[in-house]
Amino acid sequence: MKKIGFLSFGHWSDGAGSQTRSAADALLQSVDLAVAAEELGADGAYFRVHHFARQLASPFPLLSAIGAKTSRIEIGTGVIDMRYENPMYFAEDAGAADLISGGRLQLGISRGSPEQVIEGWRYFGYEPPEGDTDADMARKHTEVLLTVLQGRGFAEPNPRPMFPNPPGLLRIEPHSAGLRDRIWWGSSSNATSVWAAELGMNLQSSTLKNDESGEPLHVQQRKQIEAYRQAWKDAGHQREPRVSVSRSIFALTSDLDRAYFGRNADSGDHIGMIDENTRAVFGRSYAAEPDLLVKQLANDEAIQAADTLLLTVPNQLGVDYNVHVLENILTHVAPELGWR
């Protein structure tokens, strides 16, 4: 059985294409969609994080709110840019949100994606040490985060504290047991997926990937997943890892669906440059009648290799329409593919 969730990004709207009036509207719409997705039987509600944009930039208040209003659905990110993060504050906020949700957080983190501003992490007070890149800085922040999430004490207690201390060195609080095993690395290359496996993180692979072989995205991702799982096995981790891939998938069951997405029925992968040095392959959108969609998805090698599928949703079309998109997949497509 494959887990199916949604991945939310972009501006929310009133459903007619008009941008929401405020950040509050966007946050509340995100909560509404997560609640509705749980009621439909979806497995996950994930949110992209972007700084300096009218999108989600501070995920933990939102994740906490969703955790308090739901009881079963996994709640995650895809991804938090670790170039911007103090790993100690991150561990505190994540621990609190995870406890509120009853241990349902699935946090995707990464080096981040192209930004709205130039080197935005510098405005947050971070700068790579001499000789390091911003990607190195993100990975070092991640390694610190993974260490403190283990819950071992490391800080020397004050001999005259404001509150009584437990014996020994102190750890980051609040601590949520098990969260360390629910950290995912958003990887766009085979090398960083191997690095993530070695550190015991789950793997997220998005709708784009560094073009490392010229093959279709789904083939390159399948090979990436195989490299990741082999590295995981070689590292000797005791638990089974999880792997997600993201896709834009629309079952055309109404005239409105066909008006919005029917023109994407014959779309294919695209090649582009995400920065001056990195050539990437951007995955196709799937849009077809349910019976044809089932056949197309059965041939997607990465979807078949992953245990979790994240459906990217068109926020600008509003909550009600996105509920319809999710319901179409869960009702007409997932059972035919054996995912339900």
Side-chain angles (χ1 to χ4, degrees):
M1 180 171 167
K2 195 180 298 294
K3 290 183 178 291
I4 301 175
F6 70 83
L7 177 59
S8 172
F9 70 101
H11 301 296
W12 282 103
S13 82
D14 58 9
S18 299
Q19 189 170 297
T20 52
R21 293 188 299 270
S22 68
D25 292 333
L27 292 167
L28 293 172
Q29 286 180 322
S30 296
V31 175
D32 289 344
L33 181 58
V35 171
E38 179 172 82
E39 293 172 352
L40 287 174
D43 300 298
Y46 287 71
F47 300 88
R48 284 182 175 169
V49 179
H50 292 283
H51 298 286
F52 298 102
R54 295 188 64 188
Q55 299 180 23
L56 178 63
S58 52
F60 292 113
L62 174 63
L63 299 177
S64 296
I66 293 172
K69 295 198 70 172
T70 58
S71 61
R72 179 193 56 80
I73 197 167
E74 294 181 343
I75 310 163
T77 52
V79 292
I80 299 173
D81 189 335
M82 291 303 291
R83 295 175 296 181
Y84 288 79
E85 295 295 324
N86 178 313
M88 302 296 178
Y89 282 131
F90 186 115
E92 291 179 340
D93 287 345
D98 197 44
L99 291 171
I100 289 169
S101 74
R104 289 183 283 132
L105 289 197
Q106 303 285 342
L107 296 178
I109 63 176
S110 188
R111 181 203 67 91
S113 57
E115 303 179 84
Q116 298 298 110
V117 300
I118 298 171
E119 297 182 343
W121 30 271
R122 294 187 187 276
Y123 296 99
F124 280 57
Y126 299 112
E127 186 166 347
E130 185 174 353
D132 281 0
T133 65
D134 60 313
D136 295 328
M137 179 175 66
R139 286 187 282 270
K140 288 180 179 179
H141 287 180
T142 297
E143 290 169 356
V144 173
L145 171 66
L146 296 177
T147 298
V148 299
L149 285 178
Q150 292 173 352
R152 293 195 292 263
F154 61 91
E156 189 71 34
N158 187 337
R160 293 185 296 276
M162 180 176 294
F163 311 107
N165 281 325
L169 300 176
L170 302 183
R171 67 186 183 185
I172 289 290
E173 299 287 356
H175 172 68
S176 184
L179 180 57
R180 167 62 178 82
D181 291 342
R182 287 179 274 115
I183 303 298
W184 305 58
W185 185 258
S187 172
S188 62
S189 71
N190 291 359
T192 54
S193 67
V194 168
W195 173 81
E198 292 169 347
L199 289 183
M201 290 186 282
N202 300 313
L203 178 67
Q204 286 184 343
S205 195
S206 184
T207 52
L208 67 86
K209 182 186 176 297
N210 292 3
D211 185 13
E212 299 183 84
S213 68
E215 296 169 294
L217 172 71
H218 73 103
V219 176
Q220 294 198 47
Q221 281 186 320
R222 188 259 299 163
K223 293 181 177 180
Q224 178 190 30
I225 292 168
E226 291 173 348
Y228 166 80
R229 287 190 169 133
Q230 184 60 53
W232 184 279
K233 180 179 178 181
D234 293 344
H237 302 304
Q238 296 304 303
R239 65 179 178 86
E240 286 296 315
R242 289 184 59 184
V243 174
S244 74
V245 295
S246 303
R247 290 289 186 272
S248 298
I249 303 174
F250 304 98
L252 306 181
T253 63
S254 71
D255 289 341
L256 188 59
D257 296 331
R258 296 179 190 96
Y260 281 144
F261 301 108
R263 63 186 179 278
N264 295 326
D266 298 319
S267 70
D269 290 349
H270 301 280
I271 300 295
M273 301 295 292
I274 57 173
D275 58 40
E276 60 273 16
N277 299 313
T278 308
R279 173 185 164 103
V281 53
F282 298 78
R284 58 169 294 183
S285 293
Y286 290 97
E289 304 293 328
D291 55 345
L292 178 56
L293 198 57
V294 167
K295 295 177 182 178
Q296 292 174 343
L297 295 175
N299 292 322
D300 189 308
E301 296 178 15
I303 291 179
Q304 300 309 313
D307 59 78
T308 301
L309 173 63
L310 299 182
L311 304 170
T312 62
V313 296
N315 289 2
Q316 67 272 23
L317 297 180
V319 174
D320 290 344
Y321 186 75
N322 281 292
V323 171
H324 165 74
V325 168
L326 293 174
E327 186 173 21
N328 269 352
I329 300 301
L330 293 170
T331 302
H332 301 294
V333 176
E336 297 299 318
L337 287 164
W339 300 345
R340 281 290 183 272

